[in-house]
Amino acid sequence: MLLEVSDLSVSYGEREIVRNVNVSLDEGEVLAIVGESGSGKTTVIRAILGCLPHEGRVSGGKILFEGKNLLENTTAEWCRLCGTKATMVFQDSGSILDPIARIGSQFIEYIREHSPLTKKEAARAAEDMLRKMHLPNTENIMNSYPFELSGGMRQRVGVAMAMVFKPRLLLADEPTSALDVTTQAQVVKEMMEICQQDKTAIIIVTHNIGVAAYMSDKLIVMQAGEIVESGRTNEIIARPQSVYTKELLDAVPQVGGKSYVS
Ligand SMILES: Nc1ncnc2c1ncn2[C@@H]1O[C@H](COP(=O)(O)OP(=O)(O)OP(=O)(O)O)[C@@H](O)[C@H]1O
């Protein structure tokens, strides 16, 4: 098992926000976490990657990654893990890119921070990844500032950076929800292609149960900090057990009598 989270609880200050969350993930598997706003989805993936906001802390449970309890990690061990073996893609990658530095210099610096590659080797690796994300004219992209790219292009750069070290685990927090529907589908498809090639496992947080159904092998449905349903995605979509999951599925738009999730 690549990742095994058991009985995870997370608190912000005195308030327990997430309770008794269990997650298990094998190499290359895709897990989607869905649920209403504020249900604790982001909190769960931030806890896994050790990047809760300052006032947040894991108040119970275990997070085993490759058999090691991450909660016992030293700061140096977190630094070695994050950005290489386990990485994250955010809703708007533009917001984590430095607005006044060219994409190329940021990407090269990121690669060199985490590896012994020379500048030239890092530049080649960066361009290779941009190409894998189907970005046209990569030399041009490397010379661009973030504001010169569209939202979809910036998001592709974010995924390219997150995947450059072939991580074992990619955590994606609403990676496409800021994009239009067509671009969402393309970015999700490209991200999945790269993950399948590298056997990277994914946990994707999404509001969009259609994206979850398309991408994931397993599904977790959260409500008010707890898991209300968990299992194989196709089984949950075909036979939802909880009232809340049924409501989420009923809310999916129908086109010509056909639901987006089927
Ligand atoms: N830094 C923080 N300090 C205090 N409470 C927080 C903090 N961040 C989140 N919370 C609270 O934790 C709860 C869960 O938030 P979280 O962002 O994990 O939910 P979510 O399901 O990802 O929501 P969304 O879909 O809107 O992103 C919310 O009630 C939120 O108000």
Side-chain angles (χ1 to χ4, degrees):
M1 194 62 63
L2 178 71
L3 177 74
E4 209 157 6
V5 175
S6 35
D7 296 326
L8 178 74
S9 299
V10 182
S11 304
Y12 289 116
E14 292 302 303
R15 228 174 111 216
E16 196 168 69
I17 294 290
V18 164
R19 282 169 302 280
N20 301 326
V21 164
N22 293 291
V23 175
S24 63
L25 204 60
D26 261 328
E27 181 181 66
E29 258 186 337
V30 181
L31 167 81
I33 307 181
V34 297
E36 66 202 354
S37 189
S39 56
K41 307 179 297 294
T42 298
T43 300
V44 168
I45 60 168
R46 280 185 170 266
I48 293 172
L49 210 56
C51 59
L52 285 167
H54 195 56
E55 56 283 24
R57 69 189 165 88
V58 172
S59 43
K62 257 191 197 163
I63 304 173
L64 294 183
F65 180 73
E66 296 182 317
K68 184 178 186 309
N69 188 1
L70 297 185
L71 299 176
E72 291 163 2
N73 265 4
T74 60
T75 309
E77 284 170 325
W78 277 120
C79 290
R80 273 200 296 279
L81 176 82
C82 298
T84 52
K85 273 191 162 194
T87 56
M88 196 147 171
V89 180
F90 300 90
Q91 182 170 355
D92 176 14
S93 292
S95 64
I96 55 158
L97 292 168
D98 180 348
I100 56 164
R102 293 179 202 273
I103 299 290
S105 68
Q106 298 191 54
F107 205 160
I108 291 168
E109 193 182 312
Y110 172 73
I111 293 174
R112 297 193 70 207
E113 252 170 40
H114 292 92
S115 75
L117 293 191
T118 64
K119 222 170 167 176
K120 213 168 161 186
E121 289 165 338
R124 203 173 311 130
E127 281 199 54
D128 278 351
M129 279 312 298
L130 295 176
R131 231 169 274 125
K132 279 192 184 171
M133 280 307 290
H134 299 270
L135 280 158
N137 199 344
T138 49
E139 204 179 315
N140 229 342
I141 305 264
M142 293 284 278
N143 282 321
S144 303
Y145 290 96
F147 72 86
E148 294 177 300
L149 305 183
S150 69
M153 287 165 122
R154 279 200 301 268
Q155 206 56 4
R156 287 181 168 89
V157 171
V159 176
M161 288 174 89
M163 291 302 296
V164 70
F165 292 112
K166 300 187 185 347
R168 309 287 322 277
L169 176 65
L170 176 72
L171 301 173
D173 193 357
E174 299 277 2
T176 61
S177 57
L179 308 175
D180 64 77
V181 178
T182 317
T183 314
Q184 276 193 19
Q186 284 164 351
V187 173
V188 162
K189 200 165 152 266
E190 289 155 11
M191 187 170 89
M192 286 193 63
E193 270 169 19
I194 299 182
C195 286
Q196 278 162 0
Q197 280 164 18
D198 298 345
K199 295 201 172 66
T200 299
I202 307 177
I203 302 182
I204 178 167
V205 162
T206 175
H207 278 107
N208 187 334
I209 202 162
V211 167
Y214 168 72
M215 282 188 75
S216 65
D217 307 300
K218 290 176 169 175
L219 187 65
I220 282 178
V221 183
M222 289 191 70
Q223 188 182 27
E226 291 184 9
I227 293 181
V228 291
E229 189 147 3
S230 136
R232 308 298 307 175
T233 305
N234 48 7
E235 285 166 18
I236 293 180
I237 302 285
R239 284 175 294 281
Q241 299 297 312
S242 84
V243 174
Y244 180 59
T245 312
K246 285 179 195 158
E247 282 170 10
L248 282 182
L249 287 167
D250 285 344
V252 174
Q254 307 266 324
V255 175
K258 198 173 173 343
S259 160
Y260 272 125
V261 293
S262 51

